């Protein structure tokens, strides 16, 4: 099993996905372990920690149950985000999610007073954005999805993502004019 795991770790996520849909449970386990924490970090924006654990497990159980009908994907990360988001919608029974930026979004190794101050201010400012703007900012800048991936994930048009992101950035600049220099400390 150790040799199989080391061979699988050298594969891309898309190759692992192909192996999984063809029945390789080691590939499935590697996909799960690789993406679990990222999905959890995303999900706690919408649900309690115990609810999100259930949602993640349900997402992966659904993948197992329907693997014979699954197709190859070009971006496993985006596909898993979309599956989890759908699971969250089921739990919330609503198409509108309340997105809240919580501790842990930016790495917790922030040490200096200036960085801490900038982080606190950034969170306050981001909370002033609309829920959709916050979600898109989070996906773009904290999960590093590109605009097309965000559009696919949220089921909206590419241009809509661009427009919402542009408006959010304008709002962030106006709201956070005093902390812009400090933000460079956070993201360098």
């Amino acid at each position: 099993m150790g040799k199989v795991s080391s061979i699988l770790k050298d594969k891309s996520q898309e190759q692992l996905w192909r192996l999984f849909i063809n029945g390789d449970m080691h590939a499935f386990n590697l996909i799960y372990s690789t993406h679990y924490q990222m999905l959890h970090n995303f999900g706690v924006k919408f649900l309690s920690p115990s609810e999100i654990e259930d949602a993640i497990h349900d997402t992966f159980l659904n993948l197992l149950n329907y693997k014979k009908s699954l197709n190859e994907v070009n971006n496993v990360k985006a596909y898993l985000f979309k599956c989890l988001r759908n699971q969250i919608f089921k739990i919330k029974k609503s198409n509108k999610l309340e997105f809240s930026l919580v501790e842990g979004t930016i790495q917790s190794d922030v040490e200096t007073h200036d960085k801490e101050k900038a982080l606190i201010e950034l969170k306050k400012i981001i909370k002033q954005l609309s829920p959709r703007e916050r979600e898109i900012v989070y996906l773009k800048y904290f999960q590093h999805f590109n605009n097309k991936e965000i559009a696919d994930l949220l089921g909206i048009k590419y241009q809509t993502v661009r427009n919402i992101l542009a408006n959010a950035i304008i709002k962030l600049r106006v709201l956070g004019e005093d902390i812009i220099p400090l933000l460079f400390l956070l993201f360098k």
Side-chain angles (χ1 to χ4, degrees), residues 9 34 79 113 135 140 142 146 153:
K9 285 183 181 181
T34 302
Y79 184 79
H113 177 69
E135 186 174 26
K140 177 77 174 183
F142 297 99
N146 65 41
L153 179 64

Side-chain angles (χ1 to χ4, degrees), residues 83-109:
C83 291
L84 178 61
R85 192 170 186 274
N86 290 339
Q87 193 66 35
I88 292 169
F89 279 139
K90 285 181 188 176
I91 292 170
K92 287 288 202 172
K93 294 185 175 136
S94 168
N95 285 337
K96 292 189 179 188
L97 296 175
E98 281 302 312
F99 185 91
S100 63
L101 191 62
V102 296
E103 294 298 322
T105 302
I106 296 178
Q107 295 178 351
S108 61
D109 62 352

Side-chain angles (χ1 to χ4, degrees), residues 42-174:
F42 173 72
V44 295
K45 309 290 182 234
F46 308 105
L47 301 172
S48 72
S50 62
E51 287 176 317
I52 196 57
E53 282 188 31
D54 290 342
I56 292 169
H57 291 137
D58 288 346
T59 298
F60 280 94
L61 283 173
N62 287 337
L63 292 174
L64 279 173
N65 290 332
Y66 299 107
K67 83 174 170 194
K68 292 186 193 277
S69 63
L70 294 175
N71 295 317
E72 291 187 21
V73 295
N74 293 329
N75 186 328
V76 174
K77 178 181 173 182
Y79 184 79
L80 292 174
F81 263 86
K82 190 169 190 170
C83 291
L84 178 61
R85 192 170 186 274
N86 290 339
Q87 193 66 35
I88 292 169
F89 279 139
K90 285 181 188 176
I91 292 170
K92 287 288 202 172
K93 294 185 175 136
S94 168
N95 285 337
K96 292 189 179 188
L97 296 175
E98 281 302 312
F99 185 91
S100 63
L101 191 62
V102 296
E103 294 298 322
T105 302
I106 296 178
Q107 295 178 351
S108 61
D109 62 352
V110 180
E111 296 173 2
T112 68
H113 177 69
D114 287 343
K115 286 183 180 181
E116 289 172 4
K117 179 182 171 189
L119 180 60
I120 290 167
E121 289 301 312
L122 177 62
K123 288 180 180 183
K124 285 180 187 175
I125 291 167
I126 289 176
K127 284 181 181 181
Q128 294 180 48
L129 298 175
S130 73
R132 181 62 103 189
E133 289 170 333
R134 288 191 301 258
E135 186 174 26
I136 290 174
V137 165
Y138 175 79
L139 291 171
K140 177 77 174 183
Y141 296 107
F142 297 99
Q143 288 300 323
H144 310 290
F145 282 107
N146 65 41
N147 291 353
K148 180 173 180 353
E149 291 168 333
I150 295 170
D152 292 342
L153 179 64
L154 301 180
I156 58 179
K157 293 181 180 177
Y158 173 82
Q159 189 59 46
T160 303
V161 171
R162 289 185 55 164
N163 294 346
I164 291 172
L165 195 54
N167 289 336
I169 290 170
I170 290 169
K171 285 182 186 178
L172 288 172
R173 283 184 183 149
V174 170

